[in-house]
Amino acid sequence: MCITPLSIDAKTKKTSGKDGKNITWNYDKGTKTLTFSGTGPISDFEMDGHCPEPGWYDWSEKAEHVVIEEGITVIGKTALRDFLNVESVELPKTLTEIKYDAFDYNLELKNINLPENLKTIGEGAFGSCRKLEISEMPKNVKRIGEGAFEDCQTIKKFTFPNNVRKIEIGVMGDNRNLQSVKLSSNATRICGSAFFNCKKLKVLDIPKSVTRVAMSAFAGSGLKKIILPENVKRIDNGDYGCKVFKKMFDLLPTKNLRVIEIHSKKVKKIEKNSFGGLSRKVVIKVPKSMKKKYTKMLKKSGLSKKIRIKALKKK
């Protein structure tokens, strides 16, 4: 005879606990505030449906405020991912790193103070924080990871600090209200999809320090003109060889683009289809002394014969 075990009542949600040896957490039901105290890093977690979730995740759908107190240095991987109703986060001066997906999909998050000692913002750290209001990074930030601010629909202006040299893949992608971006004056590389589908983007000046650009960074953006400055040596596709500007499923129409200027005389390589799919309305302008060479390179890369290539006028 089969005996069915008696069901066990679910445990009462804990309102406090420990993370490792040095971090404690507490949830206040009255104020709906989750507070972390202690010294050192908040642990990394794998939110994959198999590994155990941290104790504070019981409050991921209830918490409206997060306070991380002085002494804490790192917010671990996916530590506060999917906290759907959190509106504000208070960070300590001691914080130096926010890791991968730490605040990903915090849909109601509006306010967060990024401290001056912060140096690293990891991949997807604020992805899909669609109400996040932020424009400038602390000056000590050296790295902003792939997709760190992707799908943040409220950001209208953004300034990269001067220590950020690499503009990572999809870092500001799919931000449909983003209007202007100021890149680091020390930036050397713009990676694929960095500003893809930013339909209202109108202002983006690429500094002279940039030597490598992926054209998919601008696919679906609102830019009318793209100027590749004088030190660019390599033009990448950034979209796995696909035609960068091809309209696909009505997702990434690059409607406003009319001019691409290549000011550099140092270009050594143009990846296949980097200019693929451009509208016949677009004109590519290159240095007069390089027109013959660049025309050959562009056509070899797959540029449509319908696209006009002209010499830049001398200033």
Side-chain angles (χ1 to χ4, degrees):
M1 187 171 87
C2 218
I3 300 175
T4 304
L6 295 173
S7 62
I8 301 172
D9 292 334
K11 293 181 179 179
T12 304
K13 292 181 180 179
K14 293 182 179 180
T15 55
S16 63
K18 293 195 72 174
D19 174 33
K21 295 180 180 180
N22 300 316
I23 305 293
T24 59
W25 64 272
N26 177 77
Y27 180 70
D28 186 317
K29 293 181 180 179
T31 61
K32 297 183 179 181
T33 301
L34 177 63
T35 303
F36 292 84
S37 308
T39 57
I42 295 174
S43 297
D44 293 339
F45 292 93
E46 292 289 346
M47 310 305 287
D48 57 5
H50 302 289
C51 297
E53 296 176 349
W56 60 82
Y57 253 79
D58 283 343
W59 306 103
S60 62
E61 295 183 9
K62 297 289 186 181
E64 293 182 1
H65 309 283
V66 172
V67 176
I68 298 175
E69 295 186 342
E70 296 297 329
I72 292 176
T73 56
V74 177
I75 301 174
K77 185 167 65 172
T78 71
L80 290 156
R81 182 179 181 179
D82 296 336
F83 270 67
L84 302 178
N85 293 299
V86 164
E87 297 177 3
S88 69
V89 174
E90 185 177 328
L91 300 177
K93 294 177 182 178
T94 51
L95 190 72
T96 60
E97 182 176 6
I98 300 172
K99 286 191 175 182
Y100 170 91
D101 277 7
F103 293 98
D104 180 54
Y105 217 68
N106 280 210
L107 297 177
E108 297 297 322
L109 179 59
K110 298 176 183 176
N111 303 310
I112 189 167
N113 62 307
L114 298 178
E116 284 301 312
N117 289 320
L118 186 64
K119 294 180 180 179
T120 302
I121 298 174
E123 289 80 357
F126 295 98
S128 295
C129 291
R130 294 173 183 168
K131 295 185 179 180
L132 184 64
E133 297 174 4
I134 195 166
S135 59
E136 286 195 45
M137 296 287 99
K139 63 182 180 180
N140 290 315
V141 171
K142 294 182 178 180
R143 180 173 180 271
I144 302 176
E146 295 180 15
F149 292 95
E150 185 175 338
D151 190 27
C152 292
Q153 301 298 339
T154 309
I155 296 177
K156 294 183 179 180
K157 297 181 180 181
F158 194 88
T159 299
F160 286 84
N162 281 335
N163 289 321
V164 175
R165 295 173 65 83
K166 184 179 180 182
I167 310 302
E168 297 276 5
I169 295 171
V171 63
M172 299 293 297
D174 207 23
N175 291 354
R176 301 184 188 189
N177 289 298
L178 184 67
Q179 296 174 18
S180 73
V181 173
K182 184 177 181 181
L183 298 182
S184 159
S185 59
N186 295 313
T188 59
R189 183 177 178 184
I190 301 174
C191 296
S193 303
F195 308 104
F196 83 94
N197 214 28
C198 293
K199 297 179 183 295
K200 294 184 180 179
L201 181 62
K202 295 180 180 179
V203 179
L204 174 66
D205 293 327
I206 302 175
K208 294 179 181 180
S209 54
V210 169
T211 60
R212 186 172 177 179
V213 179
M215 296 307 293
S216 68
F218 317 113
S221 77
L223 292 171
K224 292 182 179 180
K225 179 188 285 189
I226 298 170
I227 299 177
L228 304 184
E230 59 196 45
N231 290 309
V232 171
K233 297 178 181 179
R234 174 168 171 159
I235 299 173
D236 295 330
N237 177 289
D239 194 23
Y240 308 103
C242 298
K243 290 184 178 181
V244 167
F245 297 100
K246 184 178 180 181
K247 184 176 177 182
M248 297 181 69
F249 311 114
D250 294 323
L251 293 177
L252 296 174
T254 311
K255 294 181 178 180
N256 297 330
L257 187 61
R258 292 294 179 269
V259 179
I260 297 175
E261 294 185 359
I262 302 174
H263 287 206
S264 175
K265 297 179 182 179
K266 304 175 183 178
V267 177
K268 302 296 183 183
K269 182 175 181 178
I270 301 176
E271 281 192 338
K272 187 175 182 179
N273 286 324
S274 296
F275 295 89
L278 282 173
S279 163
R280 66 177 65 187
K281 296 178 182 178
V282 176
V283 176
I284 297 178
K285 298 182 180 182
V286 302
K288 186 175 182 180
S289 62
M290 304 300 292
K291 188 173 183 291
K292 185 175 180 180
K293 181 180 179 180
Y294 284 3
T295 297
K296 186 177 180 180
M297 290 175 70
L298 285 162
K299 288 184 177 179
K300 188 177 179 180
S301 75
L303 182 71
S304 170
K305 294 179 181 179
K306 297 176 181 179
I307 304 299
R308 293 168 293 165
I309 301 173
K310 294 184 176 183
L312 284 163
K313 292 182 179 180
K314 290 184 178 181
K315 293 182 179 179

